[in-house]
């Protein structure tokens, strides 16, 4: 595992968050892709390499794990500008979508190209070896889909070829996984709450409590029940209820009422969460409130999320606290707090640091995969010493 670089990746429904190496690199890419042609037209080809690669990810992906192999895609920011861009739909399974893998491979290839000195490079081909920590919703893990997902990644070479991408045009990255660990998202969130990057316990008050963790994503919501330091698989539940559908409703109503076309759900999230001029858009150069649209649709979603909380708490009456996490929680935080204050008054908590909440899964996967790597290297060290002793 000496030449293997760590990748901890959360393919969220809104965006992919990745942490690499010894936490020396991270990447955040909107989870949007669009099919494309090989020679995408651009203005000022000579200025291409002055641009940020994240704004121009244009790749061909070859992998036996994909249903649609050898296809060409725009990814992330570049894809949001396409008329044929796709985002994951409600009801879809993250583990079974090509889009999840395209995002995963693209982020790893970007890291390999940026840190090419870590790997062998022949001409323009980088041989990249990674140890991956990632996760799936509890619902999919309970259905056993993590096994198939892991097996599709292991044992094969997955190639990403950068086409018209700033700085990396013409580079091919062959990705091979030394090991893949797929964690249930609720358990990962608990680990992030109680463990630091060196596997030390940082929250002794929490570690033996009975906890609910309500993870609100774009397409689904997972509620993990933590008891005796582990997830209670029988009681944990997943629901096909996320914020994506509500964001689409807001986007559609803004279009029909104001004639404004927003590129993606990410644009709606920015309108809702920005620090200045929150819930305002520009219409023909005038600052215009969309507060009534946002409040009506988001409050309705918050009520549905609160019903799930109430039902889960009733089934787990000795729960001491519920933590709300995930990008959806950041969007719904004030609505859920208001409902809770006016209704049941459960002991709930949010992460005031928006980045901490959004990056929680990626951080958790990093802690888990780094701990796995340390333990593996410790086990391998005596074997290597024995081999050396025999050769002397």
């Amino acid at each position: 595992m000496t030449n293997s670089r760590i990748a901890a990746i959360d393919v969220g429904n809104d965006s992919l968050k990745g942490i690499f190496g010894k936490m020396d690199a991270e990447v955040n890419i909107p989870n949007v892709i669009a099919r494309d042609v090989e020679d995408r037209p651009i203005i000022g080809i000579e200025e291409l390499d002055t641009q940020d690669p994240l704004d121009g990810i244009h790749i061909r992906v070859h992998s036996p794990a994909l249903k649609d192999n050898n296809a060409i895609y725009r990814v992330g920011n570049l894809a949001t500008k396409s008329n044929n861009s796709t985002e994951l739909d409600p009801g879809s399974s993250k583990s079974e979508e090509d889009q999840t893998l395209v995002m995963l491979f693209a982020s790893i290839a970007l890291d390999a190209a940026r840190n090419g000195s870590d790997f062998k490079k022949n001409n323009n081909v980088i041989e990249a070896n990674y140890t991956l920590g990632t996760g799936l919703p509890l619902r999919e893990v309970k259905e056993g889909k993590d096994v198939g997902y892991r097996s599709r990644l292991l044992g094969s070479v997955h190639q990403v070829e950068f086409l018209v991408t700033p700085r990396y045009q013409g580079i091919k990255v062959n990705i091979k996984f030394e090991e893949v660990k797929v964690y249930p998202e609720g358990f990962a969130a608990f680990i992030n709450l109680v463990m630091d990057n060196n596997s030390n316990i940082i929250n002794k008050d929490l570690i033996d409590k009975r906890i609910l963790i309500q993870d609100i994503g774009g397409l689904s919501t997972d509620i993990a029940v933590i008891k005796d330091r582990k997830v209670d698989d029988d009681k944990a539940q997943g629901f096909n209820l996320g914020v994506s559908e509500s964001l689409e409703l807001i986007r559609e109503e803004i279009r029909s009422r104001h004639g404004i076309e927003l590129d993606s759900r990410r644009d709606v999230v920015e309108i809702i969460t920005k620090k200045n001029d929150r819930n305002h858009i520009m219409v023909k150069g005038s600052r215009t409130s969309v507060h009534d649209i946002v409040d009506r649709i988001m409050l309705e979603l918050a009520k549905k999320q609160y019903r799930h909380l109430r039902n889960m708490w009733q089934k787990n009456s000795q729960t001491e606290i519920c933590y709300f996490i995930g990008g959806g929680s950041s969007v719904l935080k004030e609505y859920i707090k208001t409902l809770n204050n006016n209704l049941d008054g459960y002991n709930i908590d949010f992460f005031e640091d928006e980045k901490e909440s959004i990056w929680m899964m990626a951080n958790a996967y990093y802690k888990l995969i780094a701990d796995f790597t340390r333990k593996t290297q410790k086990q391998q060290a005596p074997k290597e010493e024995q081999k050396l002793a025999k050769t002397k």
Side-chain angles (χ1 to χ4, degrees):
M1 207 175 271
T2 50
N3 297 323
S4 185
R5 183 169 165 85
I6 285 177
I9 297 176
D10 169 27
V11 188
N13 295 308
D14 173 62
S15 68
L16 176 146
K17 281 76 65 177
I19 302 170
F20 301 92
K22 295 180 179 176
M23 301 194 85
D24 51 79
E26 63 179 44
V27 69
N28 190 348
I29 308 170
N31 190 351
V32 185
I33 64 173
R35 290 294 294 269
D36 204 11
V37 295
E38 187 163 349
D39 295 315
R40 71 176 178 93
I42 58 167
I43 299 167
I45 186 82
E46 67 281 354
E47 295 175 5
L48 183 68
D49 285 348
T50 64
Q51 298 168 16
D52 186 341
L54 285 175
D55 290 330
I57 304 171
H58 181 236
I59 56 175
R60 187 198 317 270
V61 188
H62 177 80
S63 166
L66 296 170
K67 299 184 193 88
D68 198 355
N69 199 358
N70 232 28
I72 294 169
Y73 297 97
R74 295 179 177 214
V75 175
N77 294 328
L78 188 65
T80 62
K81 300 168 187 172
S82 298
N83 294 326
N84 63 330
S85 63
T86 61
E87 299 176 76
L88 292 174
D89 295 321
S92 61
S93 291
K94 196 186 285 188
S95 59
E96 296 174 343
E97 295 290 333
D98 269 7
Q99 180 156 338
T100 305
L101 294 175
V102 169
M103 293 297 302
L104 184 81
F105 297 148
S107 66
I108 290 173
L110 278 170
D111 179 69
R114 186 168 46 190
N115 300 279
S117 57
D118 284 11
F119 305 112
K120 288 179 184 175
K121 187 175 181 182
N122 298 315
N123 297 322
N124 275 339
V125 181
I126 297 170
E127 301 294 338
N129 197 12
Y130 280 85
T131 299
L132 173 66
T134 189
L136 289 173
L138 275 168
R139 174 177 53 85
E140 293 187 49
V141 175
K142 285 180 81 170
E143 291 169 2
K145 291 179 179 176
D146 55 320
V147 178
Y149 186 62
R150 179 176 179 270
S151 66
R152 286 160 70 196
L153 292 171
L154 276 173
S156 298
V157 176
H158 316 278
Q159 186 184 81
V160 174
E161 178 185 357
F162 289 103
L163 300 173
V164 190
T165 302
R167 300 181 209 168
Y168 305 139
Q169 189 170 9
I171 291 176
K172 293 180 180 178
V173 181
N174 289 333
I175 301 165
K176 193 163 186 187
F177 294 108
E178 180 90 24
E179 180 57 274
V180 174
K181 292 289 185 182
V182 182
Y183 303 104
E185 290 176 350
F187 172 68
F190 173 66
I191 290 296
N192 197 63
L193 287 168
V194 300
M195 184 190 288
D196 68 11
N197 290 328
N198 297 310
S199 305
N200 299 314
I201 301 299
I202 53 170
N203 200 333
K204 290 180 180 175
D205 292 340
L206 252 187
I207 196 159
D208 289 318
K209 282 187 176 180
R210 293 192 179 190
I211 303 167
L212 295 180
I213 297 176
Q214 189 154 336
D215 178 14
I216 305 174
L219 304 180
S220 61
T221 295
D222 284 328
I223 306 182
V225 180
I226 310 294
K227 183 182 172 186
D228 299 328
R229 306 190 184 194
K230 60 181 183 288
V231 175
D232 188 327
D233 291 331
D234 294 326
K235 292 190 173 181
Q237 282 190 270
F239 308 94
N240 288 324
L241 176 70
V243 295
S244 292
E245 211 165 334
S246 297
L247 295 176
E248 285 294 346
L249 288 172
I250 293 168
R251 188 175 164 193
E252 180 58 40
E253 194 156 334
I254 288 173
R255 185 193 297 120
S256 61
R257 193 188 294 188
H258 299 288
I260 300 299
E261 186 72 51
L262 300 170
D263 288 336
S264 68
R265 297 170 199 153
R266 169 64 71 90
D267 291 342
V268 181
V269 172
E270 284 178 9
I271 289 164
I272 295 171
T273 59
K274 62 186 176 182
K275 297 290 182 280
N276 299 317
D277 290 337
R278 192 171 185 170
N279 291 333
H280 283 77
I281 59 171
M282 298 304 291
V283 179
K284 299 176 183 175
S286 297
R287 182 174 168 274
T288 304
S289 173
V290 290
H291 220 295
D292 58 330
I293 298 173
V294 172
D295 273 359
R296 187 183 74 255
I297 293 171
M298 283 295 155
L299 183 58
E300 192 57 39
L301 176 59
K303 286 176 181 175
K304 292 175 183 175
Q305 291 288 352
Y306 195 77
R307 279 198 288 275
H308 284 315
L309 169 70
R310 179 184 281 157
N311 291 339
M312 285 296 284
W313 208 301
Q314 284 174 349
K315 291 172 185 173
N316 301 277
S317 63
Q318 296 309 295
T319 295
E320 296 175 66
I321 188 168
C322 177
Y323 284 96
F324 282 86
I325 65 166
S329 291
S330 298
V331 173
L332 290 171
K333 179 168 66 175
E334 297 309 321
Y335 300 99
I336 291 172
K337 279 183 175 180
T338 301
L339 284 171
N340 191 50
N341 289 338
N342 293 333
L343 296 170
D344 300 303
Y346 291 116
N347 184 19
I348 64 174
D349 202 2
F350 291 79
F351 291 87
E352 299 306 323
D353 183 338
E354 220 165 88
K355 184 180 178 185
E356 184 183 358
S357 180
I358 291 167
W359 280 79
M360 177 171 280
M361 289 304 172
N363 284 324
Y365 301 149
Y366 186 87
K367 290 173 183 181
L368 287 162
I369 200 65
D371 184 51
F372 166 79
T373 303
R374 275 193 298 270
K375 286 174 179 171
T376 304
Q377 287 173 343
K378 199 176 281 186
Q379 288 168 1
Q380 287 177 347
K383 294 176 184 175
E384 295 299 323
E385 287 171 11
Q386 286 172 9
K387 282 182 187 175
L388 282 170
K390 285 178 182 176
T391 57
K392 285 179 181 177

